[in-house]
Amino acid sequence: GTGGLKIFGNQIELLGSTAGETLAKFTEDGGIELYDDNTKRIETTGLGATVFGDLTVSGVTTSARLLVTGISTFTGLVDANGGAHIDNLRLGIDADNDITTSSGNLTLDSAGGTVEINDNLTVDGLLDANAGAHIDNLRLGIDADNDITTSSGNLTLDSTGGTVEVNDNLQVDGQTDLNGDINLG
C-alpha cells in the first residue's frame, strides 16, 4: 500500500524468516543493534556508535585498520600502540613541529639500524654520544674558529694505548707540560 509503516513498542526486534536469526533490535531510550548472520555488527550508544569488525569508510574496507580519507580531527589522545606511519609528520601542539614527550625524553631507536638526520640538527643543551661519534667537517665549540672547548678548561686526547696523531701544524699558546717520551723526527 501507500504511506508509512509505524510500529509501536518499547523494544522492537526484527527476526529472519524462521525467527531463529536476529536482524535488528530497537530499544526505546536505548541503543539500536544491527546484526549480520545473527552476529551484532553495529550498536549505537549514548555517545555515538560501536562497530564490531571491519568498517568501510569512503569506499575503503579496513582489515584490522582504519583508512580515513580527508582531514580527521581527534580531540583526545590517539594511541598507536602497534606503531604509526605518519606522512608529513607534525606532532606537538604548536606550529613549529616540536616533538614533545611528557617525560622530557625522546628516544629514536632503529633497532640496530641507523637513525639518519639529513638536514641541519640544532641541539640546545648537552649532547651525549655515549658510544662515540663520527663527525665529518668537525666544528665543536660556540664560535666559528673550530675551537674545542671544555667547561673545565682541560682537554684530554686519549687513544687508549694507541697513538694520537697531529698531521698538520700544532700551535700551543701557554704553558705545555709533557709527561712521557717525546720523539721528534
Side-chain angles (χ1 to χ4, degrees):
T2 59
L5 173 65
K6 294 182 180 182
I7 302 173
F8 297 95
N10 62 356
Q11 182 174 15
I12 300 169
E13 193 169 339
L14 299 178
L15 303 174
S17 61
T18 63
E21 184 174 329
T22 300
L23 304 174
K25 289 182 184 177
F26 304 88
T27 305
E28 184 177 15
D29 297 326
I32 298 171
E33 300 174 11
L34 300 178
Y35 290 76
D36 177 52
D37 198 19
N38 214 32
T39 301
K40 183 173 24 174
R41 297 296 182 192
I42 298 176
E43 177 180 15
T44 63
T45 65
L47 299 175
T50 302
V51 176
F52 303 93
D54 287 341
L55 173 66
T56 301
V57 178
S58 298
V60 179
T61 302
T62 66
S63 297
R65 60 189 178 136
L66 175 63
L67 300 175
V68 179
T69 58
I71 296 174
S72 298
T73 302
F74 299 92
T75 57
L77 178 66
V78 176
D79 287 327
N81 295 324
H85 178 93
I86 304 171
D87 292 332
N88 302 313
L89 180 65
R90 180 178 175 196
L91 298 176
I93 59 172
D94 50 18
D96 63 1
N97 292 325
D98 281 353
I99 299 174
T100 59
T101 65
S102 58
S103 69
N105 299 316
L106 175 65
T107 301
L108 301 175
D109 187 349
S110 65
T114 301
V115 175
E116 290 188 20
I117 299 172
N118 295 317
D119 210 339
N120 295 332
L121 173 65
T122 301
V123 177
D124 295 325
L126 179 64
L127 175 64
D128 288 327
N130 295 326
H134 179 93
I135 304 172
D136 292 332
N137 301 314
L138 179 65
R139 178 180 173 195
L140 298 176
I142 59 172
D143 51 18
D145 62 2
N146 290 326
D147 281 355
I148 299 174
T149 60
T150 66
S151 60
S152 69
N154 298 316
L155 175 64
T156 301
L157 301 175
D158 186 350
S159 65
T160 314
T163 302
V164 175
E165 291 186 21
V166 177
N167 294 319
D168 210 338
N169 296 331
L170 175 64
Q171 178 179 337
V172 178
D173 295 326
Q175 180 180 342
T176 303
D177 294 327
L178 302 172
N179 299 315
D181 295 335
I182 299 174
N183 294 321
L184 302 173

